[in-house]
Amino acid sequence: MLHKHLVNGQDDDTNRLLRALGDTTRRRIIDELSVRDRQSLFEIYTRVVSNHAISQSRQAFSRHLAVLEDVGIVTIDWQGTTKLHSLDVTPILRLKGAWLSKFGGSQ
């Protein structure tokens, strides 16, 4: 029974991660943070809007960042009163090494 609970917990984490990655805006945030870490909300927002033609309010954009933070893809550091966002690819690599590894055979 404990094994089933652990598997379900892993499934829950996988589902949350796949949902987070399933949104275009969030993938663009990841793209921009992969180019340069430690960006403020305003910096990331400006780069995503200008480089990827995604238009939405900063409040909605902030919610996308929160989703990525909740699944561990975005980490936060504070510099004074400014929240700086950085990319942590560990959850993505875990997904690649676990469930997605089933599909990595030679094509």
Side-chain angles (χ1 to χ4, degrees):
M1 197 58 116
L2 179 60
H3 176 71
K4 183 176 181 179
H5 176 71
L6 289 175
V7 170
N8 287 341
Q10 290 170 347
D11 284 349
D12 289 346
D13 290 345
T14 299
N15 290 342
R16 288 177 52 234
L17 183 56
L18 287 171
R19 275 193 299 275
L21 294 172
D23 182 85
T24 301
T25 299
R26 292 193 282 266
R27 289 193 308 273
R28 297 304 169 254
I29 291 169
I30 292 167
D31 291 342
E32 290 301 330
L33 288 174
S34 73
V35 174
R36 186 171 68 84
D37 272 340
R38 298 182 53 78
Q39 294 186 58
S40 69
L41 167 63
F42 179 75
E43 290 172 308
I44 302 170
Y45 177 77
T46 301
R47 292 172 63 95
V48 168
V49 167
S50 61
N51 294 342
H52 303 284
I54 292 176
S55 64
Q56 56 189 252
S57 70
R58 272 199 284 171
Q59 184 178 14
F61 192 84
S62 181
R63 286 192 296 266
H64 286 294
L65 278 169
V67 169
L68 293 173
E69 185 180 349
D70 286 345
V71 296
I73 294 173
V74 170
T75 60
I76 303 301
D77 290 315
W78 286 92
Q79 183 175 355
T81 59
T82 304
K83 197 175 185 181
L84 299 177
H85 304 83
S86 295
L87 181 63
D88 181 354
V89 297
T90 304
I92 298 169
L93 294 176
R94 244 190 336 259
L95 180 64
K96 179 182 171 190
W99 184 76
L100 288 177
S101 67
K102 298 178 201 177
F103 307 103
S106 58
Q107 306 288 319

